[in-house]
Amino acid sequence: MSFPPVHLILDWDGTLTTSSTLPIIAQIGYDRNISHPLPSWNTISDAYMSDLRAHTSIYSPPAVERNTIAQELHWLESLRDVERKSMERAETAGIFKHVGSGDIQQAAEQALKAGTVLLRDHWIDLVGRVLRDGGKVGVVSVGWSGEFIRWILKTAVEASKEEAKEGVKVEDIDVRANDIVGGEEGRMNRYFRHGGRQVEGGIWTARDKRKVVNEMVAEEGDGKERVLVYVGDSVTDLECLLAADVGICVRDRVESGEQTELKQSLGRLGVGCSNISLMGPDHLRNFTGRGKPVDGNSIWWDSGFYGLCRSSVVDVIGYGRTFDPYMCLKISQHLHDTESSFPSKTTQVHLRCPPHTPMCKNARCLKKGGIE
């Protein structure tokens, strides 16, 4: 049995990057309009938090009483007006007046050089593996801006000395995000329209991200079957995580507020979330090519992209290898013990417990002392 290649879609802030880039993007506007009186970014942020607290205080049911996925998704969609007001507040203040492509490019290059924007380790390896095997890669974000994201990725690939960057072209990464229009009004774009009222809206909520992901999948256009893998870190990713064939949460050793909120939401809703190293043959058998595995709303977590690169998601499904239940079981049971890097596409799988571990600590070990 073999598996199709991957359609990998990544959230941006906190997933592909290690933290939010929104303050850095806002600074582009302040630098461009340095001679104009503007409200501070803290003022804009505080107003957003005030709106959010007010909405939360009157929304029913409250978080502690939301125990179904439908209830949680309804709550997330109810935040649309809070997000819209925040966008309009920045536009009315004129923060992004006269901002152009050159300003965005320069800010992206400087942010990478200064280290104020950090991309997660092994992201090039992950993206390269997917693209080289005929898969597709996309980025979707509720943040600003798509152009900034493209310049960050382009600059990072050009500066990278990793062999893994071979074949990685930013033009092949489909980026969908809100964008700065700039000009005399300093507006942000509106990605699509909502409902019969034809009210323009940006990518603001979890449901918006799901709609964008649906668009990306529908536009694959080459007739190839792919496994949809979505990676995110916050509750705005919840709907996409649940809808994907493989949903993966990013959790740092020291969790961000967004990561903790997502973890608590999953726990409250009773959605299983295991470390990706535990994905074994039973899960791999369940993929149908499009849609959820048959075990239901179960998703996975990883501390970054290293574990994902080593997991069966990329190395078995992504490379379309013939399915070997015994080998997949050995891989999934020993990823937490082995020190060796995950084998490349052309090498034979050969894992053993590390030399300093003469007897494997895993009670399920198929062969004590290691796998050969």
Side-chain angles (χ1 to χ4, degrees):
M1 180 178 180
S2 62
F3 292 93
V6 163
H7 190 160
L8 173 68
I9 300 180
L10 302 156
D11 168 58
W12 175 245
D13 285 319
T15 298
L16 193 44
T17 69
T18 58
S19 60
S20 174
T21 59
L22 187 55
I24 297 166
I25 295 170
Q27 191 60 45
I28 300 173
Y30 286 99
D31 291 343
R32 186 68 176 82
N33 296 285
I34 195 168
S35 61
H36 296 81
L38 296 173
S40 71
W41 188 245
N42 283 340
T43 300
I44 301 291
S45 299
D46 289 347
Y48 170 78
M49 293 305 300
S50 178
D51 286 347
L52 180 60
R53 286 191 295 268
H55 179 73
T56 302
S57 68
I58 62 173
Y59 185 85
S60 181
V64 293
E65 296 177 13
R66 294 197 297 271
N67 52 25
T68 70
I69 291 172
Q71 287 176 327
E72 194 72 357
L73 296 184
H74 190 276
W75 151 253
L76 292 171
E77 181 59 17
S78 77
L79 298 173
R80 175 171 303 283
D81 279 347
V82 175
E83 300 297 335
R84 176 184 56 78
K85 288 178 183 178
S86 180
M87 179 82 73
E88 292 175 351
R89 194 174 288 119
E91 290 176 329
T92 301
I95 292 174
F96 295 109
K97 280 186 177 182
H98 313 297
V99 169
S101 295
D103 301 309
I104 296 172
Q105 177 184 352
Q106 183 179 30
E109 292 171 347
Q110 290 177 346
L112 272 180
K113 184 176 181 180
T116 51
V117 171
L118 296 174
L119 298 175
R120 290 193 180 274
D121 292 340
H122 306 287
W123 79 272
I124 291 182
D125 185 19
L126 175 62
V127 169
R129 284 170 182 249
V130 173
L131 290 176
R132 284 192 294 272
D133 195 55
K136 288 184 177 291
V137 177
V139 176
V140 60
S141 175
V142 296
W144 319 327
S145 72
E147 189 171 4
F148 182 82
I149 293 172
R150 293 183 192 92
W151 277 115
I152 288 286
L153 297 178
K154 179 178 176 61
T155 305
V157 169
E158 291 176 349
S160 175
K161 297 180 181 178
E162 297 181 45
E163 292 182 7
K165 78 174 187 178
E166 181 182 353
V168 176
K169 298 178 181 178
V170 176
E171 309 89 75
D172 295 331
I173 301 176
D174 186 3
V175 177
R176 310 280 180 107
N178 303 299
D179 262 309
I180 299 171
V181 177
E184 289 295 326
E185 296 182 353
R187 280 176 53 82
M188 310 294 290
N189 77 331
R190 301 296 190 268
Y191 184 87
F192 40 41
R193 297 173 181 271
H194 290 280
R197 295 177 300 159
Q198 294 296 294
V199 178
E200 292 184 341
I203 306 173
W204 296 337
T205 67
R207 185 155 302 165
D208 291 336
K209 293 180 91 169
R210 170 71 185 279
K211 289 179 180 178
V212 173
V213 168
N214 287 348
E215 286 182 5
M216 296 166 85
V217 170
E219 293 170 10
E220 286 178 353
D222 54 10
K224 293 182 179 179
E225 184 181 45
R226 292 183 177 86
V227 173
L228 178 61
V229 178
Y230 186 90
V231 188
D233 73 306
S234 72
V235 290
T236 60
D237 299 302
L238 179 62
E239 193 160 350
C240 293
L241 289 167
L242 293 171
D245 293 312
V246 184
I248 302 168
C249 305
V250 172
R251 291 181 185 170
D252 293 311
R253 291 183 182 276
V254 179
E255 294 176 5
S256 68
E258 290 81 3
Q259 292 170 1
T260 298
E261 184 182 12
L262 176 58
K263 181 169 73 172
Q264 291 173 344
S265 177
L266 291 172
R268 177 164 36 81
L269 300 175
V271 177
C273 190
S274 302
N275 186 271
I276 197 169
S277 66
L278 300 178
M279 178 181 280
D282 289 339
H283 301 96
L284 296 178
R285 283 194 192 97
N286 292 339
F287 287 107
T288 58
R290 180 67 66 226
K292 293 298 299 180
V294 295
D295 60 348
N297 293 310
S298 178
I299 60 180
W300 309 87
W301 71 267
D302 189 19
S303 59
F305 297 147
Y306 182 52
L308 179 54
C309 285
R310 298 172 70 192
S311 76
S312 51
V313 174
V314 172
D315 273 277
V316 179
I317 299 175
Y319 282 139
R321 289 178 172 167
T322 301
F323 177 62
D324 180 346
Y326 181 71
M327 184 59 69
C328 290
L329 182 60
K330 291 192 290 185
I331 291 171
S332 67
Q333 289 182 344
H334 285 265
L335 273 176
H336 67 288
D337 285 327
T338 184
E339 291 181 334
S340 60
S341 59
F342 204 88
S344 67
K345 182 179 180 182
T346 56
T347 60
Q348 184 177 0
V349 175
H350 184 87
L351 297 176
R352 64 172 70 239
C353 294
H356 64 269
T357 310
M359 298 295 285
C360 180
K361 297 177 182 179
N362 191 332
R364 298 175 299 165
C365 185
L366 299 177
K367 183 175 182 180
K368 287 191 175 182
I371 292 180
E372 298 186 20

